[in-house]
Amino acid sequence: MKENDGLQSIGIYIFDDVELLDFAGPLQVFSAARYLDDVLIPVIDLVGPKPQITVAKSQMQVVVQKLLKDAGGYDLFLIPGGFGTRPILENTEELEHLKRISEASKFLASVCTGSLVLARLGMLKGLTATTHFGAIDLLRKIEPNLTVDRSRRYIDNGRIIISEGVSAGIDMSFHLLARFFSQELSDTVKRYIEYYPEKEGEVCS
């Protein structure tokens, strides 16, 4: 395994009005990797502030595996985005729990406006970051001492890895597989889920 002793635990935070693909994209990538090697890849915890959350727009109900107040640190803790991040920014109790978990986790990642939460927690000070194009000004307002770079799908700052909006979390997740496990595993998972965004379709008459 690359870089360290491996990611022995992965947690993904979900909340009301979370964007579906923000968390489902990374979840699919890591779940597919687990399907290929369930010894190497740990089970992913869905962490939430309550037992069941409502996904943005679709109104899908998702059951969490671990409550926020009971969760400890993870080797990788990922915060997705969605309009539900806005209430989190003002929820002192929720932020305290997220800060505790983030400080206890080895690595942090965000998708889309999940970076706003990391910024509110003081985790992005002095770093290069990104977010959804519609939240750039808010990100800069929350944490003035950062550099916004929208030229890349994801930015790896070492301990903290940040991706652009929604679908960019998939690209970031493949990078995480390559970084913490192997490029071979990342490529194999990509083939398995047939993730080829550069490949064009064909319209048959």
Side-chain angles (χ1 to χ4, degrees):
M1 187 167 293
K2 296 182 65 177
E3 185 168 344
N4 59 7
D5 293 331
L7 297 178
Q8 302 301 317
S9 59
I10 300 174
I12 299 178
Y13 190 54
I14 57 174
F15 43 86
D16 282 341
D17 284 333
V18 64
E19 190 69 36
L20 178 59
L21 192 58
D22 278 23
F23 78 88
L27 181 60
Q28 174 63 56
V29 171
F30 282 103
S31 295
R34 181 170 169 75
Y35 180 80
L36 295 170
D37 192 334
D38 62 359
V39 175
L40 187 64
I41 309 297
V43 174
I44 297 92
D45 279 346
L46 291 180
V47 181
K50 56 184 182 177
Q52 186 168 286
I53 66 95
T54 302
V55 177
K57 302 178 185 68
S58 70
Q59 298 299 295
M60 178 190 299
Q61 302 295 301
V62 178
V63 176
V64 307
Q65 279 81 52
K66 189 164 290 187
L67 291 176
L68 179 65
K69 64 182 181 65
D70 299 325
Y74 288 91
D75 282 352
L76 175 66
F77 185 57
L78 186 149
I79 302 178
F83 285 108
T85 56
R86 306 317 193 270
I88 295 175
L89 300 177
E90 308 302 326
N91 188 321
T92 303
E93 181 179 358
E94 195 166 353
L95 288 171
E96 287 177 353
H97 285 303
L98 287 170
K99 187 173 182 64
R100 171 181 55 79
I101 295 170
S102 296
E103 290 178 342
S105 296
K106 290 183 181 179
F107 298 95
L108 302 173
S110 70
V111 180
C112 196
T113 54
S115 60
L116 301 180
V117 178
L118 289 181
R120 180 70 84 202
L121 296 176
M123 300 290 177
L124 302 186
K125 188 179 181 67
L127 298 182
T128 300
T130 188
T131 190
H132 189 276
F133 68 84
I136 294 172
D137 290 343
L138 182 54
L139 178 62
R140 287 188 172 122
K141 181 178 179 181
I142 294 172
E143 178 53 84
N145 188 15
L146 58 71
T147 301
V148 174
D149 182 354
R150 281 277 306 172
S151 69
R152 291 175 282 174
R153 292 283 277 169
Y154 56 84
I155 297 168
D156 190 331
N157 286 287
R159 179 174 179 252
I160 299 177
I161 307 95
I162 306 164
S163 79
E164 290 184 331
V166 195
S167 64
I170 298 173
D171 299 88
M172 179 184 72
S173 297
F174 282 119
H175 166 71
L176 293 173
L177 281 182
R179 175 179 167 183
F180 292 109
F181 299 98
S182 71
Q183 186 63 55
E184 180 182 7
L185 177 62
S186 181
D187 292 341
T188 301
V189 173
K190 189 174 292 188
R191 286 194 301 272
Y192 177 73
I193 69 171
E194 294 201 336
Y195 182 70
Y196 303 118
E198 71 283 356
K199 189 176 181 179
E200 297 183 356
E202 181 181 358
V203 178
C204 299
S205 57

